[in-house]
Amino acid sequence: MTLRTEGLRKAFGGVVALDGADVEFLPGKVNALIGPNGSGKTTFFNCVTGMIKPDEGRIFFGERDLTGRAPHVVARAGVGRTFQLCRVFPRMTAVENVLAAVRPGGLLRGLRSAHRRSEIERAHNWLTRLGIEHLAEAEARNLSWGQQKLLELAGVLMGEPQTILLDEPAGGVNPALLDRIGTLVRELNSEGRTFVIVEHNMDLVMSISDHIVVFDRGRPIAAGPPERIRTDERVLGAYLGV
Ligand SMILES: Nc1ncnc2c1ncn2[C@@H]1O[C@H](COP(=O)(O)OP(=O)(O)OP(=O)(O)O)[C@@H](O)[C@H]1O
Ligand SMILES: [Mg+2]
């Protein structure tokens, strides 16, 4: 399903974070959303996932109009996300975090009992898949930053999203984990998941993306395959201030 926006606009007081953004990502592909600091990338994710309401414009996922819908509605429609500043419950174990991601209400009723066996099994399977199963019973606060990012991704994957938005998956992550994240994205994509990745690490972006959208001052200034984006003059201008 195609994720796209028409004329998306969001201002915070006098700061125009999104300035009429028309964006279309390629379904079934690894898409990247890049741009200088403050160009509106996270705000775009926040609008698309219903965390904030755009002032103007529309958001479509396939035929569905998701504009202004609540986060759980967007998630149920098949769009999952991670956060730039990773969100985990520090005093819960890794596996509890993964379970809580899929059924937050479980927190109130006592986690273990609230989850069926199969759900717990699924959580362990994702932890295994992401290479952090050995940390399943560790409290999340004892995981490294990179491991916490993988843990957050495991929670997102529990929802079996068709499209996954990652906000700076490589930010502050060590090189070994960075490789694993790149490989995982390609693997999960080959199994049919669409990705949209906000990322400043250009080596990673260029190596894993099929399609790149470049933001500058709240709207796209270029879109295309990595080969084309790498040499685009508007892109170089936006980054180098030319
Ligand atoms: N909640 C908010 N209140 C006020 N201003 C905001 C808010 N969120 C974002 N902004 C402003 O909107 C602009 C776009 O911010 P945004 O976080 O979307 O950029 P970004 O492209 O994700 O940047 P970065 O690469 O640094 O993460 C910035 O000028 C930012 O200061
Ligand atoms: Mg951001």
Side-chain angles (χ1 to χ4, degrees):
M1 261 188 298
T2 305
L3 180 63
R4 69 186 174 87
T5 65
E6 281 175 10
L8 213 57
R9 197 189 135 82
K10 178 72 194 180
F12 299 101
V15 178
V16 179
L18 290 174
D19 192 11
D22 295 321
V23 180
E24 182 167 338
F25 295 111
L26 302 184
K29 302 288 186 189
V30 176
N31 300 267
L33 174 58
I34 65 171
N37 292 117
S39 58
K41 306 178 298 294
T42 296
T43 303
F44 181 85
F45 273 11
N46 286 341
C47 284
V48 167
T49 54
M51 321 272 313
I52 60 177
K53 283 196 201 316
D55 301 332
E56 289 171 32
R58 308 223 70 84
I59 298 154
F60 297 97
F61 187 52
E63 295 299 301
R64 242 181 118 180
D65 187 338
L66 290 179
T67 316
R69 304 307 301 272
H72 71 273
V73 176
V74 177
R76 227 183 281 136
V79 181
R81 80 170 289 185
T82 63
F83 291 87
Q84 186 166 349
L85 298 172
C86 187
R87 293 189 179 180
V88 297
F89 299 105
R91 288 181 183 277
M92 282 167 46
T93 67
V95 70
E96 284 167 353
N97 264 278
V98 179
L99 289 166
V102 79
R103 202 187 292 173
L107 276 177
L108 301 172
R109 297 190 300 270
L111 263 175
R112 298 278 181 188
S113 61
H115 293 281
R116 283 178 296 124
R117 220 187 142 78
S118 68
E119 236 165 16
I120 295 172
E121 220 173 275
R122 243 165 28 87
H124 281 289
N125 286 343
W126 280 121
L127 289 174
T128 302
R129 183 80 195 276
L130 300 195
I132 49 174
E133 166 63 13
H134 61 294
L135 299 165
E137 301 302 331
E139 287 186 7
R141 64 190 167 127
N142 294 326
L143 273 58
S144 75
W145 176 247
Q147 289 166 340
Q148 290 187 25
K149 291 201 150 197
L150 289 169
L151 180 58
E152 190 190 20
L153 178 57
V156 171
L157 287 163
M158 280 293 279
E160 295 291 346
Q162 196 279 328
T163 293
I164 301 176
L165 315 182
L166 303 179
D167 200 346
E168 301 202 16
V173 170
N174 74 48
L177 270 192
L178 207 134
D179 269 359
R180 191 192 298 168
I181 289 172
T183 307
L184 271 168
V185 166
R186 292 298 339 176
E187 273 177 24
L188 292 165
N189 170 251
S190 70
E191 292 160 17
R193 291 186 178 83
T194 302
F195 279 87
V196 180
I197 302 175
V198 165
E199 184 51 59
H200 287 292
N201 182 324
M202 281 306 119
D203 288 340
L204 181 67
V205 167
M206 293 296 168
S207 66
I208 67 172
S209 310
D210 301 301
H211 183 75
I212 302 179
V213 175
V214 186
F215 264 28
D216 187 33
R217 291 169 226 194
R219 65 166 91 159
I221 55 163
E227 314 80 79
R228 179 131 52 83
I229 294 303
R230 194 180 265 137
T231 54
D232 187 291
E233 286 185 8
R234 284 161 302 176
V235 176
L236 296 173
Y239 272 105
L240 303 174
V242 177

